[in-house]
Amino acid sequence: MGMQTFAGSKPFGLELVENVGAWAEKGIREAESGPGILFEEVPLPYDEENNTFILPQSIHTRDWTGELSAADDGYSLYGERDVYWQRKQDAIREGHAFSLWLVNGESYIEYKLVVSGMPVISIDTESKGQIQDTDERGVVRIFNPDVGSDRYEIHQSYMTCRIKGGTSRALEKKGYALKLYDYQWKKADIPLLGMRSDNNWKLNALYTDDTRIREKTAAQIWQAFSAADKDLRQDGPRLEYAELIINEEYLGIYCLVEPVDAEKLNLDKNDILYKVVGWKVPTENDFTVAVANSAPTAAAIRINHPGVISDYAAVWHPMQDYNERFYLNPDLDYEEALATVNTANLSDVFMFLMVTSASDNHYKNMYFAAEVARDGEYVMKQIPWDLDYTFGNVFYGESPNLVRFLEDYSCIYADSTLPRLKFANPEEIGTAFLARWHQHRESFLKTEEILRLLKENQRYLAETGAVVRENQRWQEFPVNMDISGLLQYQEERMRWLDAYFTEWADY
């Protein structure tokens, strides 16, 4: 999309006037409502409670991009003269509110305009009410100034939206599931915020983390694992920050989450993708009941792929066998077990859970991807998701946001699969694991690199001005901008992990 750029003297193509007195002097009265404002002919996101439009702009450029106009040709749009028009980065970072007026021959309407350095997602549903558990139709507009793109992008489509999540849905700030459709209400795969094309997206509320940086940072670290060994095909969820408005209600900072599915993991029609959403390991009876009832769920496990199942016994077999072998059976046949897993993937998962202190991701909140051969033999891989309880945060039911920071950096957070293999063959598994740890430790797992990601994500929240609006909206749980304790925790944990993994591998 080609857009004009404007220096501070005429931002967004606006005519600037001194103040509201200009209209009063002409006998033009103030009205209570108006037609709204467009950005590049698209309705601009609006926060009704604060009478404020929110316009995303790049924090990396000097000039303003794009044009603002009235939604009704009978109105003209004006802005107030303001020194902040010449101070773009300051205006964005501080959440400065500009004054705008829509004026016709008889009346004017005053609005505020804040400029965000972060993408903004605006959802309008048909009911105009609160989003519920069932899909509700509407329209979504996504304004992306520069995330994953070298140009300004605006996307509009039909969509359905519903509340998502388990325990987190009890919190005041909800997470949402979003599906995109074209004008005929057919599935529309769209690339958003530099991520891959899809129609199925999640919006994570980040409400269990006072810093709002843990989940994004953990996802970036798992992406680094995936990039370091692309042949493993263990790509996990990608996340990008965005501010969210639903039915003209500002809801704050969210992460838009790219789905993990068969396409992302390069699974074919014979392969199977399971999603674990709870702690309960299914028993043999749970699987028996699922097969008998042709059910895609067994205890806390769901089948995400294939979508059409003709033989439930065959589709459930790899997960049932894997569960029995690694989680239920006290005796492990090393050679048989080794044939069902990818030890490089298990090593990466073990390291990742320990490096990020992922307290909610051992078994629960994991994808299990079974690559199935024609003879029915399988190799299982694990991919973590839902990474909010990381970097020292653990579930705490007595807290208003269900979390507390556990300062003990020596806690063990790990799935039991690799440790069981290592117990069966200490030398082979221990040696290979330690070599892989040193390899990753010399690149993307350097302590300074992890600390850089944490600080960079915090800096982004501040520079985009989103933290100002988040704190105004969620005053009972503001963003903690002092992450010195978190950085110290992570630095000490990495030092402790070097010693722990060396001892673990040699033991």
Side-chain angles (χ1 to χ4, degrees):
M1 178 183 292
M3 293 189 185
Q4 282 186 275
T5 58
F6 298 91
S9 58
K10 196 172 182 180
F12 308 119
L14 292 171
E15 293 294 334
L16 300 182
V17 297
E18 286 300 328
N19 53 51
V20 69
W23 317 122
E25 290 173 2
K26 297 179 180 180
I28 299 175
R29 60 181 175 80
E30 184 175 6
E32 293 183 356
S33 62
I37 297 174
L38 305 179
F39 177 68
E40 295 294 309
E41 303 301 319
V42 178
L44 194 60
Y46 178 62
D47 172 16
E48 182 180 36
E49 181 176 349
N50 295 297
N51 191 34
T52 298
F53 287 93
I54 302 178
L55 172 58
Q57 290 282 291
S58 172
I59 59 175
H60 303 112
T61 59
R62 183 188 64 181
D63 295 335
W64 308 103
T65 301
E67 288 195 54
L68 292 171
S69 60
D72 185 327
D73 289 340
Y75 286 80
S76 298
L77 182 62
Y78 298 87
E80 183 178 21
R81 295 188 188 279
D82 191 320
V83 295
Y84 274 89
W85 291 124
Q86 284 78 40
R87 296 167 54 188
K88 179 182 177 184
Q89 276 74 19
D90 291 341
I92 291 174
R93 184 180 61 255
E94 297 172 20
H96 178 74
F98 295 98
S99 291
L100 299 181
W101 294 285
L102 281 174
V103 185
N104 61 16
E106 299 178 352
S107 63
Y108 72 89
I109 307 98
E110 183 173 6
Y111 296 102
K112 296 298 182 182
L113 173 73
V114 296
V115 183
S116 173
M118 185 181 289
V120 174
I121 299 175
S122 179
I123 292 173
D124 292 293
T125 64
E126 292 177 353
S127 72
K128 300 297 182 182
Q130 295 288 328
I131 302 294
Q132 303 298 327
D133 289 339
T134 55
D135 284 333
E136 186 167 350
R137 287 189 171 196
V139 175
V140 61
R141 300 178 180 92
I142 301 172
F143 298 78
N144 175 23
D146 61 0
V147 175
S149 173
D150 59 358
R151 60 194 177 96
Y152 203 113
E153 297 178 333
I154 300 176
H155 166 75
Q156 295 186 90
S157 76
Y158 291 113
M159 61 90 219
T160 60
C161 187
R162 62 172 174 82
I163 294 175
K164 76 169 187 71
T167 306
S168 61
R169 69 174 49 226
L171 299 173
E172 187 176 354
K173 188 182 182 188
K174 313 291 186 186
Y176 300 97
L178 190 69
K179 291 185 179 180
L180 308 181
Y181 298 90
D182 64 17
Y183 70 98
Q184 295 180 317
W185 284 99
K186 294 181 180 179
K187 173 183 173 181
D189 290 336
I190 306 294
L192 300 179
L193 307 188
M195 296 182 278
R196 71 178 177 89
S197 294
D198 209 279
N199 90 308
N200 188 10
W201 300 85
K202 300 292 187 291
L203 285 161
N204 288 0
L206 312 179
Y207 201 58
T208 56
D209 176 19
D210 64 341
T211 69
R212 314 299 200 267
I213 63 175
R214 284 175 166 87
E215 190 164 1
K216 173 71 183 292
T217 305
Q220 289 173 308
I221 292 173
W222 181 253
Q223 286 299 314
F225 275 103
S226 179
D229 195 342
K230 294 182 179 179
D231 292 339
L232 275 182
R233 296 179 308 211
Q234 58 180 358
D235 200 11
R238 293 177 60 192
L239 284 70
E240 292 294 349
Y241 285 116
E243 294 183 79
L244 179 64
I245 295 174
I246 296 182
N247 292 328
E248 299 186 344
E249 179 184 5
Y250 180 80
L251 295 178
I253 299 171
Y254 279 71
C255 268
L256 182 68
V257 185
E258 181 184 80
V260 175
D261 55 19
E263 179 183 353
K264 177 183 276 286
L265 300 174
N266 198 29
L267 302 181
D268 63 29
K269 63 181 181 179
N270 297 315
D271 300 332
I272 307 160
L273 181 62
Y274 309 94
K275 184 178 183 179
V276 182
V277 298
W279 295 110
K280 184 180 185 299
V281 177
T283 63
E284 181 180 353
N285 183 64
D286 289 324
F287 287 110
T288 300
V289 171
V291 172
N293 293 315
S294 298
T297 61
I301 302 179
R302 304 171 185 169
I303 298 172
N304 277 23
H305 172 80
V308 178
I309 303 172
S310 58
D311 186 346
Y312 277 85
V315 173
W316 275 120
H317 168 71
M319 196 68 199
Q320 182 175 2
D321 180 75
Y322 187 88
N323 272 0
E324 176 69 23
R325 189 182 306 279
F326 288 104
Y327 299 107
L328 299 177
N329 192 338
D331 300 317
L332 184 74
D333 184 302
Y334 176 73
E335 295 300 331
E336 288 184 1
L338 195 64
T340 65
V341 297
N342 185 304
T343 55
N345 166 257
L346 290 182
S347 295
D348 286 354
V349 169
F350 187 35
M351 289 180 215
F352 171 79
L353 298 181
M354 293 290 276
V355 165
T356 62
S357 301
S359 61
D360 201 31
N361 294 85
H362 34 103
Y363 192 76
K364 179 192 176 189
N365 293 334
M366 299 289 286
Y367 286 96
F368 289 78
E371 297 178 346
V372 184
R374 290 185 177 181
D375 61 2
E377 298 297 319
Y378 71 90
V379 173
M380 191 75 78
K381 292 186 298 188
Q382 299 181 16
I383 297 93
W385 65 280
D386 195 7
L387 302 168
D388 52 345
Y389 287 105
T390 47
F391 298 103
N393 271 5
V394 298
F395 178 83
Y396 186 59
E398 297 180 17
S399 168
N401 63 319
L402 306 179
V403 69
R404 70 185 175 103
F405 180 57
L406 189 61
E407 296 182 3
D408 183 0
Y409 56 81
S410 63
C411 291
I412 307 298
Y413 303 110
D415 182 81
S416 62
T417 311
L418 188 71
R420 290 207 64 192
L421 281 175
K422 194 261 182 181
F423 184 79
N425 192 328
E427 183 174 357
E428 183 172 83
I429 298 298
T431 300
F433 172 84
L434 196 58
R436 195 170 181 85
W437 166 251
H438 289 315
Q439 176 187 352
H440 292 336
R441 193 75 168 96
E442 293 173 359
S443 56
F444 63 90
L445 288 185
K446 288 181 178 178
T447 300
E448 55 268 30
E449 175 62 15
I450 296 173
L451 299 185
R452 182 192 66 81
L453 287 174
L454 290 165
K455 290 186 283 188
E456 186 177 86
N457 286 328
Q458 186 203 44
R459 184 165 52 250
Y460 179 76
L461 296 183
E463 290 181 353
T464 58
V467 68
V468 175
R469 291 175 288 280
E470 176 82 356
N471 288 347
Q472 181 182 5
R473 178 62 177 83
W474 303 105
Q475 296 179 23
E476 71 281 9
F477 189 55
V479 180
N480 178 12
M481 297 301 286
D482 180 6
I483 62 170
S484 57
L486 171 58
L487 297 176
Q488 181 180 355
Y489 168 92
Q490 191 60 29
E491 190 169 2
E492 291 174 341
R493 183 161 180 84
M494 296 305 292
R495 187 161 48 245
W496 174 80
L497 283 175
D498 282 327
Y500 174 81
F501 282 147
T502 299
E503 182 178 355
W504 181 85
D506 290 341
Y507 179 69

